[in-house]
């Protein structure tokens, strides 16, 4: 009789973790982050809730895994000029976060130690160092740039993804401006709610990387 390796107690195999993560991302797209609960995820996967905690002991651990999956391919760039390499990496990050409903909310505050996250960070730091920054400057710039991208997409998704209350909120904002003593806001209120987020993102990353080679 052929002996089979004994399965150790504790965490299920990595393939099962990947299956649960993929199911969580599908549920995220369908219902949004607020509706993503361990109970609903267990139902989607077809297991008991308690089983999920063998894969992910906390919801934060699940979000870390989801964030890691979001960043797949983000470190890839063919740019040879350091400043352009940095900008490409940030564009990759924005695209990745926008690829999933509430993607920026999922990613914000996570601390994945997976190869997608660490690979992006390593590549970004390398480009910043090649661009002329010392180690401390490069580290601080990397944090600033990533935080800019996350914050930008947070606002972008909050105003462009399905939000039935948004038209009413914008009308109320414009009325409040018109009633008050805000001459500059009054002049530009017609443009409120018509933001070109792609153009603003480009403007932001070029301003933040203007001193790089």
């Amino acid at each position: 009789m052929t002996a089979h390796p004994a399965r150790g107690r504790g965490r299920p195999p990595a393939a099962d973790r990947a299956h649960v993560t993929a199911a969580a991302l599908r549920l995220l797209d369908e219902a949004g982050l607020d509706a993503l609960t361990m109970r609903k995820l267990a139902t989607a996967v077809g297991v008991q809730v308690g089983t999920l905690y063998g894969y992910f002991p906390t919801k934060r651990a699940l979000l870390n895994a989801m964030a890691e999956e979001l960043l797949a391919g983000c470190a890839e760039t063919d740019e040879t000029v350091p400043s352009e390499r940095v900008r490409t990496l940030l564009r990759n990050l924005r695209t990745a976060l926008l690829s999933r409903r509430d993607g920026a909310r999922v990613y914000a505050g996570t601390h994945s130690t997976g190869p997608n996250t660490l690979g992006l960070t390593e590549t970004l730091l390398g480009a910043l160092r090649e661009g002329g920054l010392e180690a401390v400057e490069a580290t601080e710039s990397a944090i600033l740039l990533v935080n800019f991208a996350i914050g930008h997409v947070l606002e972008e998704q909050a105003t462009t993804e399905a939000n039935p209350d948004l038209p009413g909120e914008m009308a109320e904002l414009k009325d409040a401006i018109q009633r008050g003593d805000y001459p500059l806001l009054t002049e530009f209120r017609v443009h409120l709610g018509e933001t070109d987020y792609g153009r603003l993102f480009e403007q932001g990353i070029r301003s933040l990387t203007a001193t790089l080679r």
Side-chain angles (χ1 to χ4, degrees):
M1 183 174 66
T2 303
H4 296 282
R7 285 184 61 181
R9 296 180 179 181
R11 295 186 182 279
D16 290 335
R17 284 174 55 90
H19 178 69
V20 173
T21 303
L25 288 169
R26 288 195 298 271
L27 187 58
L28 177 74
D29 281 338
E30 293 169 5
L33 183 58
D34 293 333
L36 177 60
T37 65
M38 298 299 270
R39 185 171 299 279
K40 289 183 178 179
L41 180 57
T43 299
V45 175
V47 299
Q48 297 296 317
V49 175
T51 303
L52 287 186
Y53 289 102
Y55 308 124
F56 302 105
T58 64
K59 188 172 181 180
R60 173 57 60 185
L62 172 64
L63 292 176
N64 282 340
M66 293 169 68
E68 167 67 8
E69 186 63 26
L70 273 173
L71 265 58
C74 279
E76 297 175 4
T77 172
D78 295 327
E79 292 290 347
T80 57
V81 177
S83 59
E84 281 304 318
R85 196 180 317 146
V86 170
R87 292 164 192 157
T88 297
L89 293 170
L90 293 171
R91 293 181 192 115
N92 291 349
L93 177 57
R94 175 175 176 255
T95 298
L97 299 182
L98 286 173
S99 71
R100 295 286 184 173
R101 181 175 177 179
D102 291 332
R105 289 182 61 199
V106 168
Y107 185 76
T110 57
H111 297 91
S112 169
T113 58
N116 294 333
T117 303
L118 298 184
L120 174 62
T121 305
E122 177 79 4
T123 307
L124 179 58
L125 286 171
L128 290 167
R129 290 298 302 273
E130 280 190 54
L133 301 186
E134 297 298 328
V136 173
E137 290 179 299
T139 302
E140 292 176 345
S141 293
I143 294 170
L144 174 63
L145 289 165
V146 170
N147 286 347
F148 166 75
I150 296 170
H152 189 281
V153 178
L154 278 171
E155 181 67 18
E156 187 170 359
Q157 291 186 313
T159 57
T160 58
E161 291 184 350
N163 181 0
D165 298 326
L166 185 59
E169 292 172 353
M170 293 306 302
E172 184 177 345
L173 173 60
K174 291 178 182 180
D175 288 343
I177 290 171
Q178 191 169 14
R179 291 194 306 268
D181 185 20
Y182 310 107
L184 292 178
L185 285 173
T186 299
E187 180 181 355
F188 295 109
R189 74 182 186 281
V190 68
H191 301 294
L192 295 175
E194 301 175 2
T195 304
D196 183 342
Y197 285 100
R199 180 181 61 78
L200 283 180
F201 186 80
E202 287 296 318
Q203 181 178 328
I205 61 175
R206 289 190 177 279
S207 295
L208 291 170
T209 59
T211 61
L212 295 177
R213 292 198 290 264

